[in-house]
Amino acid sequence: MESLFSHPTPDSTPANAGGEDLEPLVFTTVVPTTIQHAFMGFTDHPHLWWPMAEHSVYGAGSHVEFEENLILETAEDGRTSVWGTIDDWQPPMSFHTSWYPASTPLWSTELLVAFRAVDGGTEVRLVHDGWEGAEDPKATRESYAEGWPGVLASYSRFMGGAVA
């Protein structure tokens, strides 16, 4: 009988292993405005541009907001779901959050959104990483690889940017 505290055999891996070798997702968009305005559009008004019907816990009719150190979705009936906990807030340059929509902080990934001046406005750079924190790292990364472009396109349209 193996000890309760024995180590796994070298060839066995936990179900959630493999996230540490997955590359970060990096997406950028340029919006025709100042850094301050771009940051405010992203963080003060996500309820006006986030595609809730496609990317939310409660669906269309709910709304998302940055509230204190949380990113929070509220359903029409008042239920709430925390999408992330902000642990670095540097307006108007960037913010970093542990990201876990429809999950718990136990299964969080890492999200950094940074804003910088470029010709024609502000570049918004979203870096999603920390896949080893997800319950299913590979599937989680694949889902966000498909979802983030549409979310950023919605933000860009809201801010007056061109969408490819």
Side-chain angles (χ1 to χ4, degrees), residues 76-90:
E76 287 181 295
D77 64 8
R79 291 176 294 158
T80 60
S81 176
V82 176
W83 289 6
T85 305
I86 299 168
D87 54 26
D88 187 23
W89 184 254
Q90 301 294 326

Side-chain angles (χ1 to χ4, degrees), residues 66-127:
F66 285 65
E67 186 174 303
E68 297 186 21
N69 69 328
L70 300 176
I71 302 172
L72 184 69
E73 179 183 352
T74 304
E76 287 181 295
D77 64 8
R79 291 176 294 158
T80 60
S81 176
V82 176
W83 289 6
T85 305
I86 299 168
D87 54 26
D88 187 23
W89 184 254
Q90 301 294 326
M93 304 308 287
S94 67
F95 68 89
H96 179 272
T97 181
S98 296
W99 186 249
Y100 47 92
S103 189
T104 70
L106 176 66
W107 298 116
S108 65
T109 56
E110 304 295 319
L111 188 64
L112 172 67
V113 182
F115 302 78
R116 73 178 181 97
V118 295
D119 286 342
T122 298
E123 179 189 77
V124 180
R125 179 182 176 94
L126 183 146
V127 180

Side-chain angles (χ1 to χ4, degrees), residues 123-147:
E123 179 189 77
V124 180
R125 179 182 176 94
L126 183 146
V127 180
H128 197 161
D129 199 7
W131 306 112
E132 66 277 4
E135 188 170 10
D136 184 341
K138 186 176 179 185
T140 299
R141 185 184 185 282
E142 288 172 4
S143 175
Y144 281 108
E146 292 176 13

Side-chain angles (χ1 to χ4, degrees), residues 10-26:
D11 62 338
S12 66
T13 56
N16 69 336
E20 54 280 327
D21 60 349
L22 295 174
E23 293 292 319
L25 293 174
V26 180

